[in-house]
Amino acid sequence: MLGKTYLTKQASLLLEFAKTTSDSDLSAKLISKAADLKSQADPLPDKDQGPKAPDVADFSPGDPTER
């Protein structure tokens, strides 16, 4: 599944392209697709959450127990 950050960025780019084109039909299609992406992103959590890499440890920098 795609994350909220990705979908939001893609929607933003589509809106930018829609502003730059002089073709009103293309602009309307880009805006419609941006709205679709936004509606997909809205119910997702604010922070993309995926599995952690196996080599990532949970500890604070300077933690003396992690040396």
Side-chain angles (χ1 to χ4, degrees):
M1 173 180 271
L2 299 175
K4 185 171 189 167
T5 302
Y6 175 81
L7 293 171
T8 303
K9 179 66 174 174
Q10 294 304 307
S12 176
L13 290 171
L14 289 174
L15 291 175
E16 286 182 40
F17 292 144
K19 290 179 187 178
T20 62
T21 186
S22 58
D23 184 338
S24 60
D25 289 335
L26 177 58
S27 180
K29 289 177 184 177
L30 292 171
I31 292 170
S32 176
K33 183 59 180 174
D36 289 343
L37 292 174
K38 175 91 169 78
S39 69
Q40 291 176 37
D42 283 344
L44 298 176
D46 284 338
K47 185 176 181 184
D48 292 343
Q49 297 178 3
K52 289 185 179 181
D55 62 339
V56 174
D58 286 328
F59 66 93
S60 301
D63 186 351
T65 63
E66 295 293 329
R67 293 183 188 217

